[in-house]
Amino acid sequence: MMLPLTTILFLCAYAVGCLGALRYPLFGVVTYLLLYFAYPEMTWWAKPIAWMGQRYSLVAAIFLGAGFLLNWHRGGWGKQFWHRQEILFVVLIGAMWISLFTGVGPSPLGYKHLDKMVKVTIFVLLMTHVVTDIRSYRVVKWSLVIGTLYLGYISFTAGPGSFYLGRLNNIGGPDFDRAPELGVHFAAMLPLIGTMLLAERRWYLMAVLAITAALTCNGLVLTRTRSAMTALIAGMIWAVLQVPRKWRGRLVGLGLVGVVGAYALTDEGFWERMATIPSTIDAESAEHRDPEGTIITYGRIPTWKAAWAMWLDHPLGVGIGNFTRVIGEYAPSMPAIDAHNTVVLCLAELGILGIAVFLAVLVMVLGRLRHLKRSLAGQPSLRWVSLDAFGLEAALVTFLIGGMTVSRFYCEMLWWLLALPICLERAIANALEREAPAAQAAEVGPDGVRPARGLLGSKRPVMPPPGQSQPLLLPGS
């Protein structure tokens, strides 16, 4: 049987990505990221090869791991192989394993979540040890953009069968199969795309970013997701208040253009749904299908109250994947309902250990990004890094706000956003380290300071003159 051309092209690209990872592990990182967005298992062009039973992302991760071991001598992680945050990732996986025995008992969904999170953690640890220079970090950012461009395109071309109750569903992989999850992803990517637009100077790349932003806004509108819109509005307000001053005017201008463009995409049905945002906390304000397909109503606050009672009875958690299994005992009118809150889901399923580790990771990441932004203030040659740190922080804040009304704890994108600051930090450290030999060979200036070239070619002092700011200190240095 002759395979479709699209299938053949996919197999060729997949083979190049996996085999290329053995020589250049970054190929494996990019392949894994793009597979996450494309999710071949749900596409027409992968059905002719479904008989292979291929777990595409798992195979890509295996090739990435093999490539990492084969290229161990190229390691760019510096003197500290294990970052404290990476250790917490491993501890969190341990908490998930423990919950199998301390909860109400293992479940098929729990094993499924655990299998996924072990794979995600292995990939994240590989990514933070492979993406350790500026070029590879930028490649990863662009991989996220291309993946979101793909989601935006298939959202734009989606047929009537992709809509349920007027909302876009069943787009991409399991992390995007419902409107709220897809909407939160689109909302979180907009700050990242926006900061890349601010920093980019090549017109053709700016065009790609602009098209991606437009399709992302369109997809967000099609989901009609109140959680995502609330997160985006809160994220925009936070971004305007936190953006480095030199970028504030351009960011506000870009945001206004985006708001006008997004408004042009809306319709009456969109605004009717947005008008119900205040009622989402009420007792009977939203719809949900239980496992039998029956539509039931629920409110988020009653769900969270029931989850709190569940945790009081099970302080070590009910076990990974068991929230929907147990919630009916505490809220009989809401059987098999989701937690609709990332933190609540973590607390209820993994207990005090899981929530403590998760919150520690959040505090560590946000603190690192804030420290990075402040340390780079006044460093002209590193201004792009400050904008990168801000973009990551804005994307993560938007994602977390969306996660307050949508459960995103087992979403891969969350853990990528939490891991990318490690990649950025190591990329900066390696860039500065490579500049050191040139700095030592440079001539001493008339003021007695030895100049060195910055990342963008401008000069910076290795030791500051009296009265000036101290040299850059990276987190953990």
Side-chain angles (χ1 to χ4, degrees), residues 100-114:
L100 292 174
F101 306 98
T102 59
V104 297
S107 66
L109 181 60
Y111 284 125
K112 181 180 178 180
H113 282 334
L114 185 59

Side-chain angles (χ1 to χ4, degrees), residues 402-413:
M404 295 305 293
T405 49
V406 179
S407 299
R408 297 278 73 199
F409 185 71
Y410 300 113
C411 173
E412 292 199 39
M413 185 66 179

Side-chain angles (χ1 to χ4, degrees), residues 168-397:
L168 184 64
N169 281 274
N170 302 317
I171 295 296
D175 280 351
F176 313 115
D177 61 352
R178 294 176 60 249
E181 287 82 355
L182 181 61
V184 169
H185 172 80
F186 281 147
M189 280 300 300
L190 283 172
L192 202 60
I193 296 170
T195 53
M196 291 175 68
L197 257 175
L198 289 177
E200 190 55 62
R201 294 294 177 266
R202 288 161 289 189
W203 68 268
Y204 51 93
L205 293 182
M206 292 178 67
V208 174
L209 290 168
I211 293 172
T212 304
L215 290 175
T216 300
C217 288
N218 179 72
L220 180 59
V221 170
L222 290 176
T223 63
R224 296 185 178 182
T225 302
R226 296 166 294 190
S227 301
M229 289 304 301
T230 303
L232 183 59
I233 293 171
M236 289 175 63
I237 295 174
W238 179 91
V240 170
L241 297 176
Q242 296 294 323
V243 65
R245 187 172 301 175
K246 67 177 70 175
W247 303 102
R248 184 165 295 160
R250 278 177 275 186
L251 179 69
V252 171
L254 187 64
L256 290 175
V257 171
V259 168
V260 172
Y263 178 80
L265 296 171
T266 61
D267 59 8
E268 183 178 351
F270 174 85
W271 292 112
E272 287 178 355
R273 182 163 181 81
M274 294 305 109
T276 65
I277 287 179
S279 68
T280 57
I281 63 173
D282 294 337
E284 294 185 351
S285 61
E287 293 182 340
H288 170 72
R289 282 186 180 270
D290 68 8
E292 286 72 37
T294 304
I295 295 180
I296 58 176
T297 56
Y298 68 93
R300 283 175 171 80
I301 285 185
T303 304
W304 299 338
K305 288 181 178 178
W308 179 256
M310 183 194 302
W311 177 73
L312 292 178
D313 287 346
H314 303 274
L316 297 180
V318 295
I320 183 171
N322 284 333
F323 186 93
T324 56
R325 175 184 170 189
V326 179
I327 187 63
E329 299 177 12
Y330 298 87
S333 64
M334 300 181 290
I337 198 69
D338 181 70
H340 286 86
N341 186 295
T342 301
V343 175
V344 169
L345 180 64
C346 176
L347 176 66
E349 292 197 346
L350 304 186
I352 190 66
L353 175 59
I355 194 65
V357 176
F358 181 52
L359 293 180
V361 170
L362 294 182
V363 171
M364 189 177 296
V365 170
L366 294 174
R368 174 174 297 105
L369 289 171
R370 182 171 294 272
H371 178 88
L372 197 58
K373 288 191 305 179
R374 291 179 177 177
S375 298
L376 296 171
Q379 298 276 344
S381 64
L382 296 173
R383 63 182 183 273
W384 70 267
V385 182
S386 178
L387 191 61
D388 261 327
F390 166 74
L392 268 180
E393 190 177 24
L396 180 58
V397 167

Side-chain angles (χ1 to χ4, degrees), residues 74-90:
R74 298 183 183 179
W77 47 80
K79 298 178 180 179
Q80 187 178 12
F81 181 82
W82 285 101
H83 198 284
R84 286 176 297 175
Q85 187 179 322
E86 293 169 329
I87 295 174
L88 287 180
F89 287 158
V90 176

Side-chain angles (χ1 to χ4, degrees), residues 136-198:
S136 60
Y137 176 78
R138 289 173 172 169
V139 168
V140 167
K141 285 201 308 178
W142 272 102
S143 298
L144 297 179
V145 170
I146 297 302
T148 302
L149 174 61
Y150 173 78
L151 290 179
Y153 172 74
I154 60 177
S155 299
F156 179 73
T157 58
S162 297
F163 290 82
Y164 171 69
L165 296 178
R167 305 169 66 192
L168 184 64
N169 281 274
N170 302 317
I171 295 296
D175 280 351
F176 313 115
D177 61 352
R178 294 176 60 249
E181 287 82 355
L182 181 61
V184 169
H185 172 80
F186 281 147
M189 280 300 300
L190 283 172
L192 202 60
I193 296 170
T195 53
M196 291 175 68
L197 257 175
L198 289 177

